[in-house]
Amino acid sequence: MTIGILKEPKEESRVALLPEAVKTLLSWNAQVIIETDAGLSAFTDNDTYKAVGASIKSRAEVLAESDMICSIQPLSQEEISKMKPQAVLLGQMGALFNPELTKFLVQEKRTAFSMELVPRTTRAQSMDVLSSMATVIGYKSVLLAASSLPRFFPMFMTAAGSITPAKVLILGAGVAGLQAIATAKRLGASVFAFDVRQAAKEEVLSLGAKFVDVEGAKEDKAAGGYAVEQSAEFIQKQKDTIHEYAAKSDVIITTAQIPGRKAPLLVEERTVLAMKPGSVIVDLAASSGGNCALTQADQTVEINGVKIIGVGNIASELPQDASKMYGKNYINFLKLIIKDGEINLNFEDDIVKGTCVCHQGEAVNSRISEMLTQ
Amino acid sequence: MTIGILKEPKEESRVALLPEAVKTLLSWNAQVIIETDAGLSAFTDNDTYKAVGASIKSRAEVLAESDMICSIQPLSQEEISKMKPQAVLLGQMGALFNPELTKFLVQEKRTAFSMELVPRTTRAQSMDVLSSMATVIGYKSVLLAASSLPRFFPMFMTAAGSITPAKVLILGAGVAGLQAIATAKRLGASVFAFDVRQAAKEEVLSLGAKFVDVEGAKEDKAAGGYAVEQSAEFIQKQKDTIHEYAAKSDVIITTAQIPGRKAPLLVEERTVLAMKPGSVIVDLAASSGGNCALTQADQTVEINGVKIIGVGNIASELPQDASKMYGKNYINFLKLIIKDGEINLNFEDDIVKGTCVCHQGEAVNSRISEMLTQ
């Protein structure tokens, strides 16, 4: 079989598989073809791919010759149509929230897997791109905040007096939030974190941060570790607490997202106006509406001296290590669907089934079939 | 007496004295007048200055009415002429290497102090702006490097495999270099440092970094802690050692400067070409010619995938804390020349004498008089 890697769109610097991952595929007796310059924005040239045994081809050749294509950003319908009818397509398609693409894949009787569908189980952890990219995003969000802040993060005791550490408030202690906490602590900031899930409290404390408690949150174990929607009363209490902490904070990093819905509003306009000039808000939920009322997606705005950074595809800004982690996730998943150098789909496996968008046009998992009937 | 604070030029975000420093001056029975919006780029508005008891005035008023002006960037000759004849001017004028301005101050029979002349003695440490700004510069240089690197600084052990820590090589372990080492270590990098001064070795090791030894360096205790020029043989050995370490490094931060001379060339073109694509060089000596052969001052260039950042006035990019530290240094120095709310210059004091450019047109310290006769 032949596995193809495409050059991602211009705004994406990562590549699905770096040469080290390609090497693993080759050791499974697969062929690997790489679109010219696919790795360049991740600082990997064609020769480095050739050196491990991959072939460099044009985009048209990769689309036409591959039995399997691994991408990060979803392909266009036009390009999907150029693939072999039986070829397997893998990417991060946002399949549950992209009905147009999902319906197209079904109509065209395609076989496709979407990596954000990987179940959030222990066995699937090594394939979880959302989790590995959240690590990248949490780390980068702190670098962005520290670079934008007109103050130090760490404390200093110098001959000329002392500098107090920056106060950093992290909203949401999922993987991105926890990584942001860890990175801000590393840099010497005083860190406060808030999450509606009590389970997060212990993790926050173990990283040396303080946990901001707001009582009365609803929890849902079935939400796969995600936060769920809350009562109006709780939401107001939450906003008030955040308002109170924000006025004392130099940095707020917001990470609260609910899959497929608008991000919850946590930082109101009055809260931004109560912050000190020079403060920075990094909104990691900017692309799904933002956790801050004044966030503009993919833009940095300044209101009363407070900088609000509406973060876009920030994982793409650490392209080498982000691609490396993405590739590891891919390899771990591909192990389940490649046997003896050939595609071998076992839908008895909950990970294979759960990650599948459709197999020859048929939805094989309930999340997708429910979504298609809506 | 009236002390005036000017708005710094457009490219400078710091301000000489923040409100907290102004408060101290007022407690000494001095008046303080602030140019409109002087603090804005350091996120401090006119009202905050007024609240501590300063008056807000136009630039022309501050120049005409002040008995003492504290600035950071040097004033133009035209503006100096607008000051009262007896007024005292303080700033960071680079007096020893700016003969035009120094000669002008002498001709005009001015009294001026230049903060970079503060002697490097223990007693003067609390007034040493070079040292406090080097702390800012070292910290910011690492944020710049980490933000530009396509890789993580810290090590990660994740479900999807492990990420090795970034290798950071710091050239020059003065205050900026030591702060860069400390910040890179905080962020989890593996840090190597090089300095011609053996005294730096212990400090490097105490920060948890490895010291790169090149034997045969010349040292000069009289150089006030600065490195001195080296033999051709040593310089070649040094370049070879740096070349060897560079190829294994993800980041190089160069900090080697010799006051008033071109910065030493430490990173040759062949060394840049031997580095991995995606690597980053932050050249803190860019404005004095650069430690890297391919550095362009105030620009970022990319050669073979290696980013070379020719750093400009980076202390200005942390304007709040940098201004705070600058102000503390100023207050500690002003304590020596203000008594009972009046200017009182005691040239018996080695710090007052050493920092003085000229007093009523007379050079009072040997470094300036030597420079004037050259």
Side-chain angles (χ1 to χ4, degrees), chain B residues 339-351:
Chain B
K339 292 273 174 298
D340 304 322
E342 296 301 328
I343 295 167
N344 183 330
L345 303 177
N346 170 18
F347 291 110
E348 305 285 294
D349 185 321
D350 66 310
I351 300 177

Side-chain angles (χ1 to χ4, degrees), chain B residues 49-190:
Chain B
Y49 278 109
K50 274 195 234 166
V52 298
S55 313
I56 306 297
K57 303 242 175 178
S58 71
R59 188 170 187 87
E61 287 169 326
V62 174
L63 285 167
E65 297 173 18
S66 298
D67 301 305
M68 177 182 279
I69 285 186
C70 296
S71 77
I72 297 176
Q73 300 294 337
L75 270 62
S76 68
Q77 297 187 3
E78 196 193 331
E79 292 205 310
I80 293 170
S81 301
K82 292 178 184 161
M83 291 170 59
K84 291 186 191 174
Q86 302 301 319
V88 174
L89 175 63
L90 293 96
Q92 194 171 333
M93 304 169 197
L96 286 173
F97 312 112
N98 191 349
E100 207 190 324
L101 178 61
T102 303
K103 283 176 184 161
F104 174 80
L105 292 166
V106 167
Q107 277 159 21
E108 298 285 306
K109 305 214 176 305
R110 292 282 168 184
T111 298
F113 292 87
S114 195
M115 294 301 286
E116 82 283 356
L117 296 177
V118 164
R120 312 209 96 187
T121 59
T122 306
R123 190 170 70 98
Q125 233 182 331
S126 66
M127 313 163 200
D128 187 351
V129 294
L130 294 184
S131 185
S132 60
M133 293 307 109
T135 300
V136 175
I137 290 165
Y139 170 75
K140 284 295 275 187
S141 70
V142 171
L143 289 183
L144 204 52
S147 301
S148 306
L149 191 71
R151 301 196 46 209
F152 284 109
F153 261 41
M155 182 180 73
F156 282 100
M157 313 279 274
T158 76
S162 60
I163 298 281
T164 55
K167 285 198 184 63
V168 176
L169 175 64
I170 314 266
L171 302 180
V175 179
L178 290 171
Q179 189 53 50
I181 293 169
T183 309
K185 284 296 297 179
R186 274 182 184 285
L187 268 177
S190 171

Side-chain angles (χ1 to χ4, degrees), chain A residues 224-284:
Chain A
Y226 280 109
V228 293
E229 284 197 288
Q230 301 291 336
S231 72
E233 190 200 354
F234 177 82
I235 287 171
Q236 193 50 53
K237 203 153 54 157
Q238 186 186 51
K239 283 178 186 163
D240 291 346
T241 308
I242 290 167
H243 180 79
E244 181 196 320
Y245 276 83
K248 296 179 282 186
S249 298
D250 299 294
V251 169
I252 302 181
I253 297 175
T254 78
T255 75
Q257 305 211 48
I258 303 170
R261 303 212 186 158
K262 196 181 170 308
L265 177 64
L266 301 174
V267 181
E268 299 172 294
E269 184 170 349
R270 62 166 180 139
T271 304
V272 175
L273 298 177
M275 291 179 76
K276 288 171 287 187
S279 302
V280 175
I281 298 173
V282 177
D283 192 337
L284 294 179

Side-chain angles (χ1 to χ4, degrees), chain A residues 43 126 139-140 143 146-147 149-154 156 159-160 163 179 186 188 277-278 305 318-321 325 328-329, chain B residues 43 126 139-140 143 146-147 149-154 156 159-160 163 179 186 188 277-278 305 318-321 328-329:
Chain A
F43 299 95
S126 66
Y139 170 75
K140 283 295 274 188
L143 289 183
S147 301
L149 191 70
R151 302 196 44 208
F152 284 109
F153 261 41
F156 281 99
I163 298 281
Q179 190 52 52
R186 273 182 184 285
L318 200 80
Q320 262 184 9
D321 276 347
M325 292 171 99
K328 287 262 189 189
N329 293 142
Chain B
F43 298 95
S126 66
Y139 170 75
K140 284 295 275 187
L143 289 183
S147 301
L149 191 71
R151 301 196 46 209
F152 284 109
F153 261 41
F156 282 100
I163 298 281
Q179 189 53 50
R186 274 182 184 285
L318 200 79
Q320 263 184 9
D321 277 348
K328 288 262 191 191
N329 292 142

Side-chain angles (χ1 to χ4, degrees), chain A residues 56-116:
Chain A
I56 305 297
K57 302 242 176 180
S58 70
R59 188 171 187 87
E61 287 168 327
V62 174
L63 285 166
E65 296 173 18
S66 298
D67 301 303
M68 176 182 281
I69 285 185
C70 297
S71 77
I72 297 176
Q73 299 295 339
L75 269 61
S76 69
Q77 298 187 3
E78 197 193 331
E79 293 205 310
I80 292 170
S81 301
K82 292 179 183 160
M83 291 169 59
K84 291 186 190 174
Q86 302 301 320
V88 175
L89 176 63
L90 294 97
Q92 193 172 333
M93 303 171 198
L96 287 174
F97 312 111
N98 192 350
E100 208 190 324
L101 178 60
T102 303
K103 283 175 182 161
F104 174 80
L105 291 166
V106 168
Q107 278 160 20
E108 298 285 305
K109 304 211 177 306
R110 292 283 167 181
T111 298
F113 292 86
S114 195
M115 294 302 285
E116 82 282 356

